[in-house]
Amino acid sequence: MGKLEVRRAEERDLPACMAMFRELNQLQDPWRVFEPRPGIEDEMARSYRAALEDPDALLLVADAGGEVVGMAAGHVHRPSTFSEQKAVELSSVYVQSSHRRRGLARKLTAEVARFARARGVDRVTLKTFVQNEEAVAAWRRMGFETRALQMTASPDRLID
Ligand SMILES: CC(C)(COP(=O)(O)OP(=O)(O)OC[C@H]1O[C@@H](n2cnc3c(N)ncnc32)[C@H](O)[C@@H]1OP(=O)(O)O)[C@@H](O)C(=O)NCCC(=O)NCCS
């Protein structure tokens, strides 16, 4: 493996980021309850591009000697409807399978945490599917704790 660096994404990285988005989207497809709207891929492409310029967002890539092998995004948001307090939402975390278990997600996450700190934000949040056991294990190892559980049922299941 060449020299490894976590850095801000640039315009030229967007095709690699979109390829990873498609992989991540495919992985998560069996766990989705709510069907993605048509055009979601274009929306993500616009959102990744916008993150390159937005002071409230960042898009990071893990660069292994010129090859993009991982990514992570972050944006400032207000996670609680009861609170004005801001957090940075970590999202779109993907590491190519050939580069997993080498600390890349940890590095990407630390960089998002530095962004949060620089913005004066003292929480990092993320959402993951409970079925994504590998990711849940990784997030816990890194120090994330579960704050809320979203539960769903069809109305039919709830009416006797
Ligand atoms: C989840 C994912 C991002 C982890 O990336 P990674 O670069 O392999 O993770 P790291 O090597 O930085 O590991 C961070 C910590 O999590 C642990 N970990 C990583 N993968 C794990 C797994 N499959 N099972 C258990 N623990 C795991 C590591 O041991 C490490 O802890 P340690 O440093 O205390 O040993 C990667 O598996 C991935 O891209 N999966 C597919 C996409 C996905 O699910 N993204 C998350 C969506 S919410």
Side-chain angles (χ1 to χ4, degrees):
M1 189 166 72
K3 188 174 162 292
L4 199 109
E5 171 195 23
V6 166
R7 59 168 174 81
R8 290 256 188 172
E10 297 167 20
E11 179 80 27
R12 66 185 160 100
D13 301 312
L14 292 178
C17 291
M18 284 311 295
M20 288 188 282
F21 165 74
R22 283 189 284 272
E23 296 281 333
L24 179 59
N25 198 26
Q26 207 169 9
L27 172 81
Q28 298 186 132
D29 188 61
W31 306 322
R32 286 193 196 285
V33 174
F34 305 106
E35 199 186 326
R37 10 172 215 281
I40 191 67
E41 199 173 312
D42 294 341
E43 275 182 48
M44 288 308 295
R46 282 196 293 277
S47 132
Y48 287 168
R49 176 165 279 112
L52 306 181
E53 316 247 307
D54 181 352
D56 276 342
L58 89 164
L59 181 63
L60 300 171
V61 291
D63 179 325
E67 188 196 350
V68 174
V69 296
M71 70 169 174
H75 71 273
V76 177
H77 75 144
R78 288 189 176 82
S80 167
T81 53
F82 274 36
S83 174
E84 292 302 305
Q85 205 178 324
K86 289 176 180 172
V88 167
E89 175 81 356
L90 173 65
S91 60
S92 289
V93 183
Y94 191 86
V95 174
Q96 302 281 13
S97 48
S98 54
H99 286 73
R100 288 183 193 159
R101 306 301 294 258
R102 298 186 196 173
L104 269 186
R106 195 182 264 284
K107 261 190 158 175
L108 288 159
T109 301
E111 202 51 39
V112 172
R114 268 182 216 107
F115 167 76
R117 199 192 259 166
R119 295 298 317 268
V121 168
D122 64 6
R123 280 277 150 190
V124 178
T125 54
L126 66 83
K127 281 188 198 149
T128 189
F129 288 97
V130 286
Q131 295 95 332
N132 194 349
E133 290 174 7
E134 298 199 343
V136 170
W139 298 132
R140 286 198 199 289
R141 288 291 294 178
M142 287 186 238
F144 286 91
E145 292 170 353
T146 307
R147 181 186 83 89
L149 273 181
Q150 185 186 53
M151 304 179 83
T152 70
S154 75
D156 295 350
R157 179 76 180 73
L158 304 175
I159 299 165
D160 42 47

